Amino acid sequence: MTERTFNLNNSVAPVTLRLIIINTLIWLAQMVAEHRFGIDLAQLLGLHYFPAEDFSITQALTYMFLHSTDGINHLFFNMFSLWMFGSVIERFWGAKRYLFFYLTCGLTAGLAQELVWHYELRSLIPLANEMINLGDGIVRYGREILNLPVTVGASGAVFGLLLAFGMLFPNSVIFLFFLPIPIKAKYFVIIYGLIELFLGINPSWGSNVAHFAHLGGMLGGFILIRLWRKKGDIDGPYN
């Protein structure tokens, strides 16, 4: 196995920096469009269920660059994680492989979300032109209900980076804000993945979060890393 010097520093690698800037600028554009012009960019560019009227294949890419405008938390934690894990991975893989990996994880996350929606909403597809009683006096066409779910955010791609970090640097120690004890990256990834699985299976615990999309990003990253290692394109782990 090739030996490399493992060095975590605080500088931001160039592609990671550009991704952070792009996500932040788009979030600001969302805020301006919504509050100044009444345009909901999430509705236009966020990922919809594929049978929905507002679905577009380009949303599989655009959704991962938008974030919730209800506050800054969604954007901040995604960009913080992108900086924390992405910069290190980019330095080891180089810009092109890193960006391909990031986008692929975002795409597999979107695919996972589509599969979840299909499991939940497929029975409504034949009822698209019929009125459906949702209770409490709310009646809507089936096509309107199919159009309601929207997913935005870089979380799926970021979870792919988290998985990659755990596979490349399994013995690196991570310190968390909410857990004041050190934990090795390999254990952190396993625990986080199990938590996401639990919350995905029990949605009442996980609020309005696309947990299976996060798992889809991790799964896509895992498969890609295994393929690259089998072909000899990458090595590791590095510690």
Side-chain angles (χ1 to χ4, degrees):
M1 181 181 299
T2 303
E3 291 188 3
R4 301 190 185 187
T5 302
F6 176 65
N7 180 28
L8 264 177
N9 58 56
N10 293 325
S11 62
V12 185
V15 173
T16 300
L17 178 60
R18 288 177 175 85
L19 287 172
I20 292 173
I21 292 173
I22 290 170
N23 277 275
T24 303
L25 289 177
I26 291 177
W27 181 77
L28 291 173
Q30 286 181 256
M31 297 285 285
V32 172
E34 182 178 350
H35 297 292
R36 186 76 178 269
F37 304 105
I39 299 173
D40 187 356
L41 292 181
Q43 187 65 28
L44 296 174
L45 304 176
L47 184 65
H48 289 70
Y49 180 34
F50 67 88
E53 292 179 340
D54 286 351
F55 172 78
S56 168
I57 191 63
T58 58
Q59 293 168 356
L61 179 65
T62 57
Y63 91 95
M64 67 182 83
F65 292 96
L66 291 91
H67 289 82
S68 171
T69 55
D70 292 338
I72 199 172
N73 288 349
H74 190 208
L75 175 71
F76 173 78
F77 284 109
N78 273 344
M79 295 305 99
F80 178 80
S81 300
L82 177 56
W83 161 75
M84 183 176 180
F85 301 112
S87 292
V88 181
I89 297 169
E90 182 181 346
R91 293 190 187 98
F92 274 77
W93 280 352
K96 290 183 179 179
R97 185 179 299 277
Y98 168 73
L99 182 59
F100 180 82
F101 181 86
Y102 178 89
L103 295 176
T104 299
C105 291
L107 291 173
T108 58
L111 177 59
Q113 186 59 50
E114 290 288 347
L115 292 174
V116 170
W117 281 335
H118 190 62
Y119 174 77
E120 296 174 342
L121 302 172
R122 66 188 185 280
S123 61
L124 292 178
I125 297 175
L127 306 176
N129 295 317
E130 297 185 21
M131 299 293 289
I132 298 174
N133 188 346
L134 300 178
D136 296 328
I138 301 175
V139 179
R140 290 192 176 186
Y141 280 106
R143 62 176 178 270
E144 294 177 326
I145 301 174
L146 292 173
N147 215 37
L148 290 176
V150 181
T151 290
V152 296
S155 301
V158 169
F159 268 78
L161 293 180
L162 171 62
L163 184 282
F165 188 88
M167 293 181 71
L168 297 176
F169 313 106
N171 295 310
S172 299
V173 176
I174 297 176
F175 292 87
L176 306 175
F177 294 126
F178 53 86
L179 188 65
I181 59 173
I183 181 172
K184 289 186 176 181
K186 57 186 176 183
Y187 300 129
F188 176 73
V189 170
I190 293 172
I191 293 171
Y192 216 144
L194 290 174
I195 291 174
E196 288 296 314
L197 179 60
F198 173 80
L199 293 177
I201 296 173
N202 300 275
S204 60
W205 286 65
S207 66
N208 191 27
V209 177
H211 297 289
F212 282 110
H214 299 168
L215 292 171
M218 296 179 81
L219 179 61
F222 177 79
I223 294 173
L224 200 51
I225 289 175
R226 291 297 298 269
L227 288 174
W228 284 343
R229 281 182 174 170
K230 187 175 182 179
K231 293 171 60 179
D233 293 338
I234 64 172
D235 54 6
Y238 302 123
N239 62 6

